Amino acid sequence: MASKSEWKIVDVSIDPDSDEKLFFSEHEWSTVEAAAARIIPTDHDPGAREARVIVFIDRYLSGIDFHYAAADGSGFLRMEGEEARVARARTNDFQKMYREGVRELDAIAQRHGASDFVSADEATQDAILVEISGAPKPKHVRLDEHEVFYSRLQGNTDTGKSFFDTLAFHVRQGFYADPVYGGNKGRVGWKVIGFPGPESLKDTMDGTYTTAPYFVEQYDWRELLLEYDGPDTA
């Protein structure tokens, strides 16, 4: 099994402003975009719609051509052999999940009196997402409250999740991932959280970009952790 450094680089890129649909139908595109816009809504900050999360999801589901960006951002890696076979099978499962998920969103919308999910108002769309997720709508995150939130991306995967959890995961990926993958247009996801990020993936490889200035050199664990059982450092 060859390492990714040996995979061929295909000179392709993703235009976040493109409305070309590589996987979704027109209706599926509109439905998933509307659902994404309720998961990360637009308020005083840009949301999933402005970040073009829909482009990220459409390209991710379109096949296996846009799964791995080249380390220097010059294109995407071409998967071959067993890696390609497994990736195609996994993508096929996601494609089926999304198509069934859009139909379910529309069916629930009709029970709420709307013709489909897209035509429902925002409050009804929220109620539909609550129903399909089986969980209440999350409250707004407050920085002045100590509450544990489990929405991490690093070390997490989209494997074995329900349609809603998969959608929510992909929306977060499309909002916060490197713009090379089609979402996070103009780095809006990074700007919302105050993260400048690299100008390009190449900057992360040649040392141009570093996160060193953001490390806290002197700290007290009691100020960083909600629960700290270590020795007293005072």
Side-chain angles (χ1 to χ4, degrees):
M1 181 181 297
S3 69
K4 290 185 178 65
S5 64
E6 300 175 13
W7 292 7
K8 181 179 179 180
I9 298 176
V10 181
D11 184 18
V12 295
S13 61
I14 301 176
D15 177 7
D17 291 317
S18 174
D19 289 321
E20 181 183 8
K21 292 138 186 84
L22 300 188
F23 167 67
F24 289 129
S25 68
E26 188 75 36
H27 178 69
E28 290 167 343
W29 176 287
S30 298
T31 303
V32 173
E33 184 175 39
R38 298 312 303 150
I39 293 172
I40 302 183
T42 304
D43 46 28
H44 58 281
D45 286 315
R49 199 180 295 276
E50 291 77 17
R52 298 295 284 166
V53 165
I54 185 62
V55 176
F56 166 85
I57 298 176
D58 179 76
R59 275 32 176 189
Y60 182 68
L61 296 177
S62 67
I64 63 174
D65 292 338
F66 300 106
H67 283 200
Y68 295 107
D72 61 0
S74 62
F76 282 81
L77 302 183
R78 173 177 291 168
M79 283 187 278
E80 297 178 344
E82 183 65 11
E83 289 95 346
R85 185 193 68 78
V86 172
R88 287 193 184 95
R90 189 166 175 269
T91 299
N92 288 340
D93 289 342
F94 282 132
Q95 291 175 342
K96 180 179 179 181
M97 173 188 286
Y98 267 84
R99 295 227 146 101
E100 291 176 348
V102 168
R103 288 194 291 269
E104 185 175 4
L105 287 173
D106 285 342
I108 298 174
Q110 291 168 8
R111 295 203 298 270
H112 283 261
S115 60
D116 55 28
F117 183 85
V118 174
S119 63
D121 59 38
E122 291 181 351
T124 302
Q125 289 179 346
D126 287 351
I128 295 168
L129 293 176
V130 165
E131 182 173 337
I132 201 172
S133 70
K137 180 180 177 179
K139 298 179 181 179
H140 287 288
V141 175
R142 293 174 55 100
L143 299 180
D144 59 347
E145 292 181 352
H146 275 194
E147 184 175 351
V148 178
F149 294 94
Y150 296 97
S151 61
R152 64 186 175 87
L153 289 177
Q154 189 172 4
N156 201 352
T157 73
D158 50 13
T159 301
K161 289 178 167 57
S162 66
F163 165 66
F164 176 81
D165 287 343
T166 300
L167 172 62
F169 186 83
H170 289 164
V171 169
R172 297 200 303 274
Q173 283 185 315
F175 195 72
Y176 294 114
D178 192 281
V180 73
Y181 289 99
N184 192 12
K185 178 187 174 183
R187 301 179 179 84
V188 296
W190 294 348
K191 291 175 182 176
V192 166
I193 61 174
F195 173 61
E199 289 296 321
S200 69
L201 283 180
K202 181 177 181 295
D203 290 350
T204 68
M205 300 298 295
D206 62 13
T208 301
Y209 177 78
T210 175
T211 58
Y214 304 99
F215 281 86
V216 179
E217 295 183 3
Q218 295 183 354
Y219 53 84
D220 186 330
W221 279 110
R222 291 169 297 185
E223 297 177 358
L224 300 180
L225 302 179
L226 297 180
E227 297 181 3
Y228 177 68
D229 296 324
D232 190 345
T233 58

